Amino acid sequence: MEFFIDTADVDEIRKANEMGLVDGVTTNPSLIKKAGRDHEETIREISSFINGPISVETLSEDCEGMLKEAEEYMTWGNNIVIKIVMSPEGMKAVRQLSERRIKTNVTVVFSPLQALVAAKAGATYVSPFVGRLDDVGHQGMDLIGQIRQIFDNYQFDTKILVASVRHPVHMLDSALLGGDVATVPLKTLMQLFNHPLTDKGIEQFIKDSKEWAGKALA
Ligand code: E4P
């Protein structure tokens, strides 16, 4: 399973990248707003040190506008993926981009049939939002299993990009259910390192090594 980082905060991306945990980046208009910087400048900077795919979301509601934005975004880096919302106009745009072998990521997906529609349009990635489903009392991860089964039934190449990940159990379930990618905030990435027995084990090793080193020196 690939790890993408779900942020437009360049410092966070650099931090995760130094730990070798960034196979790609996803952004959206809310994350750009939160980062508080110019959209183009931010994406160009990310693209200067990240080799993996960087999803940049179109803002238009019609296919023509989305395609125009896609043309511009493609000039911001070599690794740009055009992120497009699930809608009839969006799928028209995805089809045209995929015919030109331009990578796409279909976002705000909440049902297996939306994922099927995106795959049929030729999407490179489909982004089911598991956390937002949990928020309204659904089992977000059920969607991942359903999409996996549908894509495997018909050998779609479209990758399942598990999105709206909120905690490590989402990561575990994504990996168990065959998600191709999980896009994750830095906080959740950092939580993956944690285990109380690891902390306890390290503490004991340090304590023992100090005693042992003390004896060796004496
Ligand atoms: C995915 O591409 C989205 O940017 C993101 O995962 C949405 O997450 P949220 O529901 O925490 O906003």
Side-chain angles (χ1 to χ4, degrees), residues 4-7 25-31 55 57 83 105-108 110 127-133 135 161-166 183-185:
F4 287 5
I5 185 161
D6 195 27
T7 183
V25 178
T26 50
T27 65
N28 66 34
S30 308
L31 293 171
S55 286
E57 190 162 332
K83 199 172 181 189
N105 173 1
V106 175
T107 189
V108 283
F110 291 95
S127 289
F129 279 27
V130 295
R132 292 193 195 184
L133 279 169
D135 290 345
L161 198 171
V162 181
S164 188
V165 165
R166 303 272 168 80
T183 190
V184 199

Side-chain angles (χ1 to χ4, degrees), residues 10-198:
V10 175
D11 291 338
E12 287 190 354
I13 298 169
R14 286 189 192 281
K15 190 173 171 191
N17 194 39
E18 279 165 13
M19 294 180 291
L21 290 179
V22 179
D23 297 312
V25 178
T26 50
T27 65
N28 66 34
S30 308
L31 293 171
I32 295 288
K33 181 184 162 197
K34 192 173 165 198
R37 287 179 54 192
D38 177 71
H39 193 193
E40 178 175 349
E41 181 192 89
T42 306
I43 301 298
R44 281 186 184 277
E45 185 174 347
I46 298 169
S47 188
S48 71
F49 66 94
I50 293 293
N51 295 322
I54 302 166
S55 286
V56 184
E57 190 162 332
T58 56
L59 311 171
S60 303
E61 289 178 35
D62 63 307
C63 172
E64 200 188 335
M66 290 169 182
L67 294 175
K68 215 168 152 189
E69 281 180 73
E71 291 302 332
E72 192 194 341
Y73 295 166
M74 300 293 288
T75 67
W76 294 356
N78 297 323
N79 39 4
I80 303 298
V81 173
I82 308 301
K83 199 172 181 189
I84 294 185
V85 292
M86 165 47 64
S87 68
E89 285 296 301
M91 293 315 94
K92 265 163 64 180
V94 167
R95 178 164 301 284
Q96 291 190 39
L97 291 169
S98 88
E99 278 166 6
R100 293 168 53 199
R101 299 190 181 279
I102 294 170
K103 289 186 177 166
T104 54
N105 173 1
V106 175
T107 189
V108 283
V109 164
F110 291 95
S111 86
L113 292 173
Q114 288 178 324
L116 177 57
V117 166
K120 285 175 76 68
T124 316
Y125 299 96
V126 62
S127 289
F129 279 27
V130 295
R132 292 193 195 184
L133 279 169
D134 289 355
D135 290 345
V136 295
H138 288 253
Q139 295 284 356
M141 292 313 299
D142 287 353
L143 178 57
I144 305 306
Q146 289 173 329
I147 299 174
R148 179 76 281 154
Q149 187 178 336
I150 292 169
F151 285 7
D152 289 351
N153 283 350
Y154 301 104
Q155 284 95 48
F156 282 113
D157 292 334
T158 303
K159 290 186 174 173
I160 304 174
L161 198 171
V162 181
S164 188
V165 165
R166 303 272 168 80
H167 50 70
V169 179
H170 279 152
M171 296 292 281
L172 174 63
D173 288 340
S174 298
L176 291 171
L177 289 165
D180 297 294
V181 187
T183 190
V184 199
L186 179 64
K187 181 178 169 237
T188 310
L189 271 183
M190 298 309 294
Q191 287 173 321
L192 302 183
F193 291 90
N194 296 343
H195 197 288
L197 291 178
T198 303

